[in-house]
């Protein structure tokens, strides 16, 4: 079936990025498989993370179907777009239907995008991961694709006004090698290994990031352990 909405939305997003004069440093896209199902797993630091994580699949000519909270699908603007792009609504109180929907998509060869922290990390560090992504990959017999984003929080994140001025913001993205999801391994252990791998990727993205805060008032987007003023990370 032809994709009538997703490609134009990607085109509109790329135009917006040019208007904002964003600078991209994306590495590891060769790890995105050109065919077959996979669970793309990303950290979550800003409202537009699904856009930036989805960009990693463009060189492989793939589209990522993201799992997102149901309220996004009820919005009068984002709802029709999300449904047309075949993203998957998640009712956090009853997630079984979304899980089954994702499994069906994975088995049919789709890439499903998941934020295992379930919500934006206001400390900009990795929160505790839920095991759903690992369980999905194990049941569908597909690999996990770890992705780390950095810099997206400066555009629009929880507790801060969105900043869509022409700011020359760098956006750094790192894609790791696919991780096999052995069904004989416990989902908790696999999730722990996934989180460790994503921590390595996140630290690599932070080291590569070319910008520093311009002063104390601009240090909000940097984690406390890196000298910024973001809230301290909760214990995991």
């Amino acid at each position: 079936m032809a994709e009538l909405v997703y490609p134009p939305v990607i085109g509109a997003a790329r135009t917006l990025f040019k208007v904002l004069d964003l600078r991209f440093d994306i590495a590891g896209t060769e790890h995105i498989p050109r065919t077959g199902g996979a669970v793309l797993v990303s950290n979550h630091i800003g409202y537009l993370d699904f856009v930036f994580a989805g960009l990693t699949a463009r060189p492989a000519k793939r589209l990522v179907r993201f799992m997102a909270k149901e309220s996004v699908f009820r919005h009068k603007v984002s709802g029709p777009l999300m449904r047309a792009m075949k993203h998957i609504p998640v009712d956090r109180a009853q997630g079984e239907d979304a899980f089954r929907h994702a499994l069906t998509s994975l088995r049919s060869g789709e890439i499903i995008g998941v934020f295992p922290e379930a919500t934006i990390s206001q400390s900009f560090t990795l929160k505790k991961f839920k095991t759903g992504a690992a369980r999905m990959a194990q049941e569908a017999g597909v690999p996990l694709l770890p992705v780390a984003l950095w810099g997206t929080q400066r555009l629009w994140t929880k507790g801060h006004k969105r900043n869509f001025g022409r700011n020359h913001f760098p956006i750094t993205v790192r894609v790791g090698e696919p991780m096999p999801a052995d069904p004989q391994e416990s989902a908790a252990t696999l999730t722990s290994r996934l989180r460790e791998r994503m921590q390595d990727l996140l630290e690599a993205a932070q080291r590569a990031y070319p910008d520093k805060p311009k002063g104390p008032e601009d240090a909000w987007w940097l984690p406390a352990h890196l000298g910024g003023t973001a809230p301290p990370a909760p214990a995991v």
Side-chain angles (χ1 to χ4, degrees), residues 130-153:
K130 296 184 180 299
T131 60
R135 290 188 292 111
M136 249 188 285
Q138 288 174 315
E139 290 195 33
V142 300
L144 292 157
L145 302 174
V147 173
L149 307 173
W150 193 244
T152 67
Q153 72 273 35

Side-chain angles (χ1 to χ4, degrees), residues 20-102:
L20 297 179
D21 200 24
L22 300 182
R23 292 177 285 136
F24 286 94
D25 173 13
I26 303 177
T29 58
E30 69 275 9
H31 298 311
I32 304 293
R34 292 188 172 270
T35 60
V39 180
L40 186 150
V41 185
S42 172
N43 64 319
H44 201 7
I45 52 177
Y47 288 118
L48 300 180
D49 287 344
F50 71 98
V51 179
F52 297 110
L55 285 179
T56 63
R58 285 194 68 250
K61 296 181 171 56
R62 303 296 302 275
L63 299 174
V64 183
R65 317 296 180 179
F66 282 92
M67 302 183 76
K69 60 184 180 181
E70 193 177 36
S71 60
V72 177
F73 292 78
R74 294 197 299 266
H75 190 276
K76 63 182 180 180
V77 176
S78 64
L81 289 174
M82 294 292 282
R83 287 189 290 272
M85 290 187 285
K86 303 175 188 175
H87 296 309
I88 301 173
V90 179
D91 181 344
R92 290 178 178 171
Q94 296 179 322
E96 296 85 358
D97 287 346
F99 190 88
R100 286 194 292 269
H101 185 168

Side-chain angles (χ1 to χ4, degrees), residues 191-220:
T191 299
S192 179
R193 291 200 299 110
L194 172 65
R195 189 178 182 280
E196 289 176 1
R197 180 67 182 118
M198 288 180 63
Q199 180 64 40
D200 291 341
L201 289 171
L202 179 57
E203 291 176 5
Q206 290 169 338
R207 286 193 299 271
Y209 198 70
D211 271 14
K212 303 293 182 186
K214 296 176 177 62
E217 292 185 359
D218 187 45
W220 64 267

